[in-house]
Amino acid sequence: MHQQPLPGSRKMEFQNGVSIFVFLCRALALSVEVFLHRLESFGERYIGLQAGAAVLLMLFFPICCEGQSAEPLLFFLACFLFMCICVRARVHLRRKRGGSQPHTLYTGTPRLMRVFRRMPEEKVKGIVEPLLTFLVGALALGLSQTLGCYLILASLGLLVSTNLTLGYERKRALDMHDAFIEQRGASDRFRDLRGE
C-alpha cells in the first residue's frame, strides 16, 4: 500500500536540507575566518559546533581528492585548531578584564579593514574576503590540490554564510522599520481617539 506524504513533510525536509547546507557553509567560513579576523574581536559564542564540523570536513575532505597528499590540509587543520584555541583564550581574557563585549555570535573584525579603511565591514566580509580566499585557494592548487580545492570551497562557504547573515540582518532592520511606522500610526490614532 502506497502512503501519501504528510502535508508539510516535504517542506520540512526542504527546511532541514537548507539548515544543513547553511550549517556546513558556516563551518567552512569559520575555517578561514579565524585567520582573516582579529583574534580578540570574536563573539564569545561564535566558535561552537561549526568548529567541530569544520574539523570533520577537513578530516574527510581528502577522500574527495583521492590520490592527492592530505598533509598540507592536515597542516592547515592543525593551524585552524591552534587559532581556535587562541581566539578562545583572547575572548576569555577580554571577558576577565571587563572589556566591552561584542554580540556573542559576532564573526570578528576583518584584519583587512586596515587596508580597506573606506569600505564598510559588510563589503569587506561579503566580497573581499571570499575573493581573497578563492585566490589563495587557486594559487595553492599548484602546491596541493587538496588544500587548494578546500580553500576554494571554503571561499564559497564564506560567501554564502556572510551574505545570508547580511540578508538576515537587513530583513530584521526592515521589520524594525515597519514596526516603528506601524507603532507611530497606532499612537497617532490613539491620540485622535483621546482628542489630543
Side-chain angles (χ1 to χ4, degrees):
M1 180 186 222
H2 181 68
Q3 287 185 329
Q4 292 289 343
L6 296 173
S9 66
R10 288 191 192 267
K11 182 179 177 184
M12 184 69 95
E13 288 174 9
F14 176 76
Q15 289 174 338
N16 289 341
V18 169
S19 296
I20 291 169
F21 173 74
V22 170
F23 179 73
L24 291 175
C25 286
R26 292 197 192 289
L28 288 165
L30 174 65
S31 70
V32 292
E33 284 172 333
V34 293
F35 299 101
L36 294 169
H37 298 171
R38 291 182 18 233
L39 298 178
E40 70 280 354
S41 65
F42 282 87
E44 188 175 329
R45 296 185 304 155
Y46 182 63
I47 295 181
L49 284 176
Q50 64 260 32
V55 169
L56 290 175
L57 284 170
M58 284 185 255
L59 285 174
F60 288 105
F61 189 78
I63 294 170
C64 300
C65 301
E66 199 173 319
Q68 300 295 321
S69 173
E71 288 177 12
L73 184 58
L74 294 177
F75 178 74
F76 181 80
L77 171 60
C79 293
F80 168 74
L81 290 171
F82 176 75
M83 292 300 283
C84 285
I85 291 168
C86 290
V87 167
R88 285 286 198 190
R90 294 295 289 268
V91 167
H92 177 72
L93 190 61
R94 182 186 67 213
R95 191 177 62 233
K96 188 175 179 181
R97 289 182 177 165
S100 65
Q101 299 293 324
H103 191 288
T104 59
L105 295 174
Y106 181 54
T107 61
T109 304
R111 294 177 194 269
L112 292 172
M113 290 297 291
R114 293 179 187 160
V115 178
F116 298 96
R117 291 184 179 156
R118 295 182 183 263
M119 190 177 283
E121 182 177 328
E122 298 82 29
K123 290 201 179 199
V124 171
K125 285 182 173 181
I127 299 169
V128 177
E129 287 182 342
L131 182 60
L132 176 66
T133 305
F134 182 86
L135 292 174
V136 169
L139 291 173
L141 284 172
L143 302 171
S144 166
Q145 280 194 325
T146 308
L147 179 61
C149 289
Y150 179 81
L151 289 174
I152 289 171
L153 185 64
S155 73
L156 296 174
L158 183 60
L159 180 72
V160 170
S161 175
T162 302
N163 285 293
L164 283 175
T165 300
L166 293 174
Y168 173 73
E169 288 174 359
R170 175 164 168 68
K171 181 185 178 305
R172 280 189 62 203
L174 290 172
D175 290 344
M176 289 172 66
H177 172 74
D178 293 345
F180 172 75
I181 291 172
E182 290 167 7
Q183 187 61 42
R184 190 170 56 190
S187 296
D188 291 344
R189 286 190 296 279
F190 178 72
R191 280 194 292 278
D192 289 344
L193 286 171
R194 291 182 53 117
E196 294 178 7

